[in-house]
Amino acid sequence: MEYGKGLMQVSASAPGKLVLFGDHAVVHGYPGIVTAVDRRYQVRAKHIDAAALQVRTSAGRLHEVPFAALDESQPPDIAYVVAAVKQLNARKPLKRGLQLVTGGPARSLGLGSSSAITVATLAVASRLHDVDLSPDELYSMARAAVLDVQGMGSGLDVAAAVYGGTCFLERAGEIPEALSVERLPLIIGYSGSKVGTVNLVKQVAGLRSRHPDLIEAILGAMGRISIRARSCLEEGRWRDLGALTDINQGLLEALGVGTGQLARLVYAARSARAWGAKLSGAGGGDCIFAWADDSVRADVVAGLEAVGGEVADIACNVPGVRVNDETWR
């Protein structure tokens, strides 16, 4: 079809994530658990008559990267998009130019925007270029793209974006397993600040290199918590899960990734009779979550808000990446 006359457009959306267990430990080869959240990020794609990638970001900025320059350093706001296109180009060299438009929530709350955009980019670009990717292939390529930008990572956030639902990851780099979970009685509270994941991951890695025996024991304990939490999730043993959550929080504090505000949120939730509460992800800011029975939910919400937390109205265990073929007029 000639460019400019009703070209086929492909759009995709992918969910963010909430890390439930294994934060930091998954980076070092231990198990972890993640659930997909309904803060979805979108990418639209169509062909253009240029040997280049054009990207218009949600902030309205337009970038153009010639295919010959895909390996060069890119601005942070398009780094994951370009890394995703590089992965596809390595699999099947792109013969036609590509225009992408990205979008999503104005604030990510630390819930996995980069990986969601990466997955959605690969999904639309592969569909537009007739490259048939299985979910496992999409996962592997998206994780490689994220690693290309960050240099390190577990793949938990990519797993949530690709597969959705709630996933158990035995080891970084392996294909995650879907868990049979019908509901997650969660309350998510935002601390009001967002931090860079990579710096905190490097901080923990540095601590591990200086005190390998102590930190390896902590990471190993977190991995064992993930294994026990898996059965609690699938069996709905929320009180036991809450206890594991509180233990996991203590171990994260030992790694030095907690903050005063995160601690205030965690203790506010516990004081309101939540089953358990902990930070989610790298720490240093972003979100905490609490497991809570419906009978105390209002009290937990009020407790979080009383200490400056923002309770996020977010559903969990939602579907993964979704692709639609449309017409771009």
PDB file of all heavy atoms in Angstrom, residues 204-224:
ATOM      1  N   VAL A 204      23.324  -2.505  45.514  1.00  0.00           N
ATOM      2  CA  VAL A 204      23.238  -3.816  46.151  1.00  0.00           C
ATOM      3  C   VAL A 204      24.347  -4.736  45.646  1.00  0.00           C
ATOM      4  O   VAL A 204      24.950  -5.491  46.422  1.00  0.00           O
ATOM      5  CB  VAL A 204      21.851  -4.437  45.925  1.00  0.00           C
ATOM      6  CG1 VAL A 204      21.811  -5.888  46.395  1.00  0.00           C
ATOM      7  CG2 VAL A 204      20.785  -3.619  46.647  1.00  0.00           C
ATOM      8  N   ALA A 205      24.645  -4.666  44.354  1.00  0.00           N
ATOM      9  CA  ALA A 205      25.723  -5.492  43.800  1.00  0.00           C
ATOM     10  C   ALA A 205      27.056  -5.127  44.443  1.00  0.00           C
ATOM     11  O   ALA A 205      27.891  -6.007  44.730  1.00  0.00           O
ATOM     12  CB  ALA A 205      25.794  -5.312  42.287  1.00  0.00           C
ATOM     13  N   GLY A 206      27.268  -3.823  44.699  1.00  0.00           N
ATOM     14  CA  GLY A 206      28.490  -3.394  45.365  1.00  0.00           C
ATOM     15  C   GLY A 206      28.567  -3.910  46.792  1.00  0.00           C
ATOM     16  O   GLY A 206      29.631  -4.342  47.265  1.00  0.00           O
ATOM     17  N   LEU A 207      27.448  -3.873  47.495  1.00  0.00           N
ATOM     18  CA  LEU A 207      27.399  -4.391  48.860  1.00  0.00           C
ATOM     19  C   LEU A 207      27.697  -5.893  48.869  1.00  0.00           C
ATOM     20  O   LEU A 207      28.415  -6.391  49.746  1.00  0.00           O
ATOM     21  CB  LEU A 207      26.016  -4.111  49.450  1.00  0.00           C
ATOM     22  CG  LEU A 207      25.815  -4.344  50.941  1.00  0.00           C
ATOM     23  CD1 LEU A 207      26.675  -3.394  51.761  1.00  0.00           C
ATOM     24  CD2 LEU A 207      24.341  -4.165  51.310  1.00  0.00           C
ATOM     25  N   ARG A 208      27.177  -6.587  47.891  1.00  0.00           N
ATOM     26  CA  ARG A 208      27.411  -8.034  47.775  1.00  0.00           C
ATOM     27  C   ARG A 208      28.891  -8.328  47.535  1.00  0.00           C
ATOM     28  O   ARG A 208      29.441  -9.294  48.070  1.00  0.00           O
ATOM     29  CB  ARG A 208      26.563  -8.589  46.641  1.00  0.00           C
ATOM     30  CG  ARG A 208      26.701 -10.084  46.369  1.00  0.00           C
ATOM     31  CD  ARG A 208      25.700 -10.480  45.301  1.00  0.00           C
ATOM     32  NE  ARG A 208      25.772 -11.885  44.943  1.00  0.00           N
ATOM     33  CZ  ARG A 208      26.190 -12.342  43.755  1.00  0.00           C
ATOM     34  NH1 ARG A 208      26.563 -11.473  42.814  1.00  0.00           N
ATOM     35  NH2 ARG A 208      26.204 -13.637  43.500  1.00  0.00           N
ATOM     36  N   SER A 209      29.537  -7.485  46.723  1.00  0.00           N
ATOM     37  CA  SER A 209      30.956  -7.725  46.441  1.00  0.00           C
ATOM     38  C   SER A 209      31.832  -7.457  47.661  1.00  0.00           C
ATOM     39  O   SER A 209      32.878  -8.093  47.836  1.00  0.00           O
ATOM     40  CB  SER A 209      31.414  -6.852  45.260  1.00  0.00           C
ATOM     41  OG  SER A 209      31.397  -5.477  45.609  1.00  0.00           O
ATOM     42  N   ARG A 210      31.398  -6.541  48.544  1.00  0.00           N
ATOM     43  CA  ARG A 210      32.178  -6.216  49.746  1.00  0.00           C
ATOM     44  C   ARG A 210      31.919  -7.192  50.892  1.00  0.00           C
ATOM     45  O   ARG A 210      32.809  -7.446  51.707  1.00  0.00           O
ATOM     46  CB  ARG A 210      31.867  -4.787  50.205  1.00  0.00           C
ATOM     47  CG  ARG A 210      32.301  -3.708  49.226  1.00  0.00           C
ATOM     48  CD  ARG A 210      32.231  -2.328  49.830  1.00  0.00           C
ATOM     49  NE  ARG A 210      30.879  -1.968  50.257  1.00  0.00           N
ATOM     50  CZ  ARG A 210      29.957  -1.436  49.454  1.00  0.00           C
ATOM     51  NH1 ARG A 210      30.243  -1.237  48.172  1.00  0.00           N
ATOM     52  NH2 ARG A 210      28.769  -1.119  49.909  1.00  0.00           N
ATOM     53  N   HIS A 211      30.703  -7.723  50.952  1.00  0.00           N
ATOM     54  CA  HIS A 211      30.332  -8.653  52.032  1.00  0.00           C
ATOM     55  C   HIS A 211      29.611  -9.868  51.433  1.00  0.00           C
ATOM     56  O   HIS A 211      28.431 -10.108  51.703  1.00  0.00           O
ATOM     57  CB  HIS A 211      29.418  -7.945  53.034  1.00  0.00           C
ATOM     58  CG  HIS A 211      29.968  -6.673  53.581  1.00  0.00           C
ATOM     59  ND1 HIS A 211      30.973  -6.636  54.530  1.00  0.00           N
ATOM     60  CD2 HIS A 211      29.677  -5.371  53.295  1.00  0.00           C
ATOM     61  CE1 HIS A 211      31.253  -5.377  54.825  1.00  0.00           C
ATOM     62  NE2 HIS A 211      30.494  -4.593  54.085  1.00  0.00           N
ATOM     63  N   PRO A 212      30.298 -10.642  50.635  1.00  0.00           N
ATOM     64  CA  PRO A 212      29.623 -11.701  49.875  1.00  0.00           C
ATOM     65  C   PRO A 212      28.920 -12.736  50.750  1.00  0.00           C
ATOM     66  O   PRO A 212      27.817 -13.188  50.413  1.00  0.00           O
ATOM     67  CB  PRO A 212      30.757 -12.333  49.063  1.00  0.00           C
ATOM     68  CG  PRO A 212      32.011 -11.939  49.770  1.00  0.00           C
ATOM     69  CD  PRO A 212      31.743 -10.608  50.355  1.00  0.00           C
ATOM     70  N   ASP A 213      29.521 -13.124  51.873  1.00  0.00           N
ATOM     71  CA  ASP A 213      28.891 -14.154  52.694  1.00  0.00           C
ATOM     72  C   ASP A 213      27.592 -13.660  53.314  1.00  0.00           C
ATOM     73  O   ASP A 213      26.573 -14.371  53.321  1.00  0.00           O
ATOM     74  CB  ASP A 213      29.861 -14.626  53.789  1.00  0.00           C
ATOM     75  CG  ASP A 213      30.391 -13.480  54.648  1.00  0.00           C
ATOM     76  OD1 ASP A 213      30.377 -12.323  54.183  1.00  0.00           O
ATOM     77  OD2 ASP A 213      30.824 -13.756  55.790  1.00  0.00           O
ATOM     78  N   LEU A 214      27.571 -12.434  53.809  1.00  0.00           N
ATOM     79  CA  LEU A 214      26.375 -11.892  54.443  1.00  0.00           C
ATOM     80  C   LEU A 214      25.271 -11.617  53.425  1.00  0.00           C
ATOM     81  O   LEU A 214      24.105 -11.988  53.626  1.00  0.00           O
ATOM     82  CB  LEU A 214      26.720 -10.607  55.192  1.00  0.00           C
ATOM     83  CG  LEU A 214      27.739 -10.738  56.329  1.00  0.00           C
ATOM     84  CD1 LEU A 214      28.046  -9.366  56.917  1.00  0.00           C
ATOM     85  CD2 LEU A 214      27.215 -11.680  57.404  1.00  0.00           C
ATOM     86  N   ILE A 215      25.623 -10.953  52.331  1.00  0.00           N
ATOM     87  CA  ILE A 215      24.605 -10.541  51.354  1.00  0.00           C
ATOM     88  C   ILE A 215      24.066 -11.744  50.589  1.00  0.00           C
ATOM     89  O   ILE A 215      22.868 -11.818  50.289  1.00  0.00           O
ATOM     90  CB  ILE A 215      25.171  -9.480  50.392  1.00  0.00           C
ATOM     91  CG1 ILE A 215      25.679  -8.275  51.189  1.00  0.00           C
ATOM     92  CG2 ILE A 215      24.099  -9.051  49.392  1.00  0.00           C
ATOM     93  CD1 ILE A 215      24.645  -7.671  52.149  1.00  0.00           C
ATOM     94  N   GLU A 216      24.912 -12.721  50.322  1.00  0.00           N
ATOM     95  CA  GLU A 216      24.434 -13.920  49.626  1.00  0.00           C
ATOM     96  C   GLU A 216      23.410 -14.651  50.491  1.00  0.00           C
ATOM     97  O   GLU A 216      22.418 -15.199  49.973  1.00  0.00           O
ATOM     98  CB  GLU A 216      25.597 -14.844  49.285  1.00  0.00           C
ATOM     99  CG  GLU A 216      25.339 -15.761  48.107  1.00  0.00           C
ATOM    100  CD  GLU A 216      25.145 -14.991  46.803  1.00  0.00           C
ATOM    101  OE1 GLU A 216      25.887 -14.040  46.548  1.00  0.00           O
ATOM    102  OE2 GLU A 216      24.225 -15.372  46.040  1.00  0.00           O
ATOM    103  N   ALA A 217      23.623 -14.640  51.796  1.00  0.00           N
ATOM    104  CA  ALA A 217      22.665 -15.284  52.697  1.00  0.00           C
ATOM    105  C   ALA A 217      21.318 -14.566  52.663  1.00  0.00           C
ATOM    106  O   ALA A 217      20.257 -15.202  52.684  1.00  0.00           O
ATOM    107  CB  ALA A 217      23.223 -15.297  54.121  1.00  0.00           C
ATOM    108  N   ILE A 218      21.356 -13.237  52.607  1.00  0.00           N
ATOM    109  CA  ILE A 218      20.118 -12.462  52.532  1.00  0.00           C
ATOM    110  C   ILE A 218      19.387 -12.733  51.226  1.00  0.00           C
ATOM    111  O   ILE A 218      18.177 -12.989  51.210  1.00  0.00           O
ATOM    112  CB  ILE A 218      20.425 -10.957  52.682  1.00  0.00           C
ATOM    113  CG1 ILE A 218      20.897 -10.651  54.102  1.00  0.00           C
ATOM    114  CG2 ILE A 218      19.198 -10.108  52.328  1.00  0.00           C
ATOM    115  CD1 ILE A 218      21.395  -9.239  54.296  1.00  0.00           C
ATOM    116  N   LEU A 219      20.126 -12.709  50.126  1.00  0.00           N
ATOM    117  CA  LEU A 219      19.510 -12.944  48.823  1.00  0.00           C
ATOM    118  C   LEU A 219      18.949 -14.365  48.735  1.00  0.00           C
ATOM    119  O   LEU A 219      17.868 -14.591  48.177  1.00  0.00           O
ATOM    120  CB  LEU A 219      20.535 -12.717  47.713  1.00  0.00           C
ATOM    121  CG  LEU A 219      21.087 -11.280  47.598  1.00  0.00           C
ATOM    122  CD1 LEU A 219      22.217 -11.224  46.572  1.00  0.00           C
ATOM    123  CD2 LEU A 219      19.990 -10.295  47.239  1.00  0.00           C
ATOM    124  N   GLY A 220      19.673 -15.327  49.297  1.00  0.00           N
ATOM    125  CA  GLY A 220      19.191 -16.700  49.298  1.00  0.00           C
ATOM    126  C   GLY A 220      17.909 -16.850  50.098  1.00  0.00           C
ATOM    127  O   GLY A 220      16.986 -17.575  49.695  1.00  0.00           O
ATOM    128  N   ALA A 221      17.834 -16.156  51.231  1.00  0.00           N
ATOM    129  CA  ALA A 221      16.617 -16.200  52.036  1.00  0.00           C
ATOM    130  C   ALA A 221      15.443 -15.601  51.274  1.00  0.00           C
ATOM    131  O   ALA A 221      14.314 -16.115  51.333  1.00  0.00           O
ATOM    132  CB  ALA A 221      16.833 -15.455  53.350  1.00  0.00           C
ATOM    133  N   MET A 222      15.695 -14.526  50.529  1.00  0.00           N
ATOM    134  CA  MET A 222      14.638 -13.920  49.723  1.00  0.00           C
ATOM    135  C   MET A 222      14.165 -14.874  48.632  1.00  0.00           C
ATOM    136  O   MET A 222      12.972 -14.947  48.321  1.00  0.00           O
ATOM    137  CB  MET A 222      15.136 -12.601  49.128  1.00  0.00           C
ATOM    138  CG  MET A 222      15.354 -11.521  50.174  1.00  0.00           C
ATOM    139  SD  MET A 222      16.200 -10.052  49.526  1.00  0.00           S
ATOM    140  CE  MET A 222      14.977  -9.439  48.391  1.00  0.00           C
ATOM    141  N   GLY A 223      15.092 -15.619  48.061  1.00  0.00           N
ATOM    142  CA  GLY A 223      14.711 -16.608  47.058  1.00  0.00           C
ATOM    143  C   GLY A 223      13.826 -17.697  47.645  1.00  0.00           C
ATOM    144  O   GLY A 223      12.844 -18.118  47.025  1.00  0.00           O
ATOM    145  N   ARG A 224      14.158 -18.147  48.866  1.00  0.00           N
ATOM    146  CA  ARG A 224      13.338 -19.177  49.517  1.00  0.00           C
ATOM    147  C   ARG A 224      11.957 -18.634  49.874  1.00  0.00           C
ATOM    148  O   ARG A 224      10.953 -19.360  49.815  1.00  0.00           O
ATOM    149  CB  ARG A 224      14.055 -19.706  50.753  1.00  0.00           C
ATOM    150  CG  ARG A 224      15.310 -20.527  50.411  1.00  0.00           C
ATOM    151  CD  ARG A 224      15.847 -21.262  51.603  1.00  0.00           C
ATOM    152  NE  ARG A 224      16.399 -20.350  52.609  1.00  0.00           N
ATOM    153  CZ  ARG A 224      17.612 -19.829  52.582  1.00  0.00           C
ATOM    154  NH1 ARG A 224      18.440 -20.131  51.579  1.00  0.00           N
ATOM    155  NH2 ARG A 224      18.037 -19.045  53.538  1.00  0.00           N
TER     156      ARG A 224
END
